[in-house]
Amino acid sequence: MTDTPDPRAAPARQMWPLYAAGFTTAFGAHGIAANLGGHGSGAVTSLMMLGGLLALYDGAEVLLKPVFGTLADRVGARPVLLGGLIAFSAASAVYALADSPGLLWAARLGQGAAASAFSPSASALVSRLNPAAKQGRAFGSYGFYKSVGYTLGPLLGGVLVWAGGLRLLFTVLAVLGAAVAVWAALAVPLVPPLAKARQTVFDLARRLTHPDFLRPTAALAAATAALSVGVGFLPVSGRAAGLGTVATGAAVSVLAACAAVVQPRAGRALDAGRLTARDGIMAGLLLAAAGLGCATLPGVPGVLSGAALIGTGTGLITPLGFAALAASTPAERLGQTMGAAELGRELGDAGGPLLVAAVATLTTLDHGYATLAVVLALAPATALVRRAAGLRTSR
């Protein structure tokens, strides 16, 4: 194993553990969240406790991802990746070894904190291990396996909980985290931190408020908001249309499958020059907005078309957004940027459902979908108007 990566290409053996890390964080987040309420075997005794446990994981990520991203820049992304995976395994083992409400809270907090370490570190390594010409493909593949984790998490998690209770699911996650940590230790090369100039608070604020950071991060937050709303509220629309649990679950699977299939293709198109990050992100926002609009249509056509378009739109935005961030960030600050961008995604993950729920409470769910659709379409619509005005002026 070499101490530094080949700048021309990253061998597949170096990338697979990073893809597995992305799968692990997604599978752990959704696999447990989807099964806490219905199959907790007495561990979850109230809706308030359920809400607290769901918020605990995301809250830890919101607070700690920028911190661990900065740490990855300082000491190297590989140690933070390995430490996070080991901590994830240990936190999962806490509840796997003893079933008690207190340990469930501790395990969920530990998992969230650990994911905050290895998720931005994995993103930074995806960028560091691949040349600029392959950033789109690399992030597309990383996003694909993360989407697989989101898709399979509720399903496989439900099977595991059915077979052996919540403790079996935590046991599998403990083994998975440890296995990926060993795999990464063997296959991912040491990527030493790069020398960097001293950064003041003003320098950091200026970089994180620059359009090169804000635009892709806002797009990633918007995509995550649409995805979260689709996963959470399309089943509600399906039930209102008379669909059963299997059918509504299939609709959510369509959303996740579209996102997973589109991401690698979007990344390859970016690398080949067939698509620019700006145009692809704008198209993705419009597609996701159209999907939210379709979700207001009655019956199965509305649910399925909404799921497909939301999944396609978010699948376009995610790899292109991360590739744009990597292209505009100094290599020595990648961890910090990825951690901050992940924070933006977490805010979108929470803000989208809250917005839709608030509007739906005052009016209807269809109005909630429409409101978020307008928010997503605002930026690309404004860009199209400005482009059209510029063309008229040039004539």
Side-chain angles (χ1 to χ4, degrees), residues 13 29 78 198 218 267 289 291 310 366 393:
R13 66 180 182 83
R78 184 175 180 270
R198 181 176 176 272
I310 291 171
D366 287 347
T393 302

Side-chain angles (χ1 to χ4, degrees), residues 5-384:
D6 182 354
R8 295 169 299 175
R13 66 180 182 83
Q14 296 177 3
M15 297 302 298
W16 280 110
L18 302 179
Y19 300 155
F23 173 87
T24 299
T25 183
F27 180 77
H30 279 206
I32 294 177
N35 292 284
L36 276 172
H39 305 281
S41 302
V44 180
T45 56
S46 69
L47 289 176
M48 182 62 71
M49 184 176 183
L50 175 60
L53 284 167
L54 292 174
L56 195 61
Y57 189 99
D58 291 331
E61 289 192 309
V62 167
L63 292 174
L64 295 177
K65 275 186 173 179
V67 175
F68 282 116
T70 302
L71 180 64
D73 289 333
R74 184 171 301 171
V75 304
R78 184 175 180 270
V80 180
L81 172 77
L82 297 179
L85 287 166
I86 293 169
F88 185 86
S89 177
S92 302
V94 166
Y95 185 72
L97 294 174
D99 182 1
S100 76
L103 291 179
L104 180 59
W105 284 82
R108 199 62 178 153
L109 177 61
Q111 286 181 328
S116 302
F118 72 79
S119 182
S121 300
S123 298
L125 283 166
V126 168
S127 182
R128 288 286 306 274
L129 289 170
N130 288 276
K134 294 188 176 181
Q135 294 283 304
R137 184 190 300 265
F139 279 111
S141 298
Y142 180 71
F144 170 81
Y145 287 102
K146 216 168 182 180
S147 294
V148 170
Y150 286 133
T151 304
L152 295 182
L155 176 62
L156 293 183
V159 171
L160 291 169
V161 170
W162 171 80
L166 199 59
R167 291 175 67 184
L168 177 59
L169 175 55
F170 274 84
T171 300
V172 170
L173 289 173
V175 173
L176 177 62
V180 175
V182 172
W183 191 7
L186 295 174
V188 176
L190 177 64
V191 183
L194 298 174
K196 48 186 174 286
R198 181 176 176 272
Q199 178 180 250
T200 65
V201 174
F202 176 76
D203 293 331
L204 174 62
R206 183 173 56 185
R207 189 161 60 81
L208 296 186
T209 55
H210 193 278
D212 286 346
F213 174 82
L214 286 179
R215 286 170 183 161
T217 300
L220 289 168
T224 308
L227 184 65
S228 184
V229 166
V231 170
F233 289 95
L234 282 179
V236 177
S237 297
R239 286 194 295 271
L243 301 179
T245 302
V246 174
T248 55
V252 173
S253 296
V254 166
L255 188 157
C258 287
V261 169
V262 167
Q263 289 192 61
R265 288 167 170 77
R268 288 196 292 269
L270 177 67
D271 292 342
R274 299 192 304 271
L275 181 68
T276 66
R278 179 183 174 83
D279 289 346
I281 288 172
M282 293 297 104
L285 288 170
L286 289 174
L287 284 170
L292 290 164
C294 288
T296 65
L297 300 176
V300 176
V303 174
L304 289 180
S305 61
L309 287 172
I310 291 171
T312 301
T314 57
L316 263 175
I317 294 167
T318 303
L320 301 182
F322 277 115
L325 286 169
S328 64
T329 301
E332 66 272 16
R333 303 289 183 189
L334 271 172
Q336 187 178 69
T337 295
M338 294 304 175
E342 290 280 2
L343 170 60
R345 295 186 77 195
E346 294 297 334
L347 293 176
D349 194 20
L354 285 175
L355 174 62
V356 171
V359 174
T361 300
L362 296 175
T363 55
T364 65
L365 180 55
D366 287 347
H367 285 88
Y369 288 140
T371 300
L372 183 58
V374 170
V375 172
L376 264 63
L378 189 59
T382 301
L384 289 173

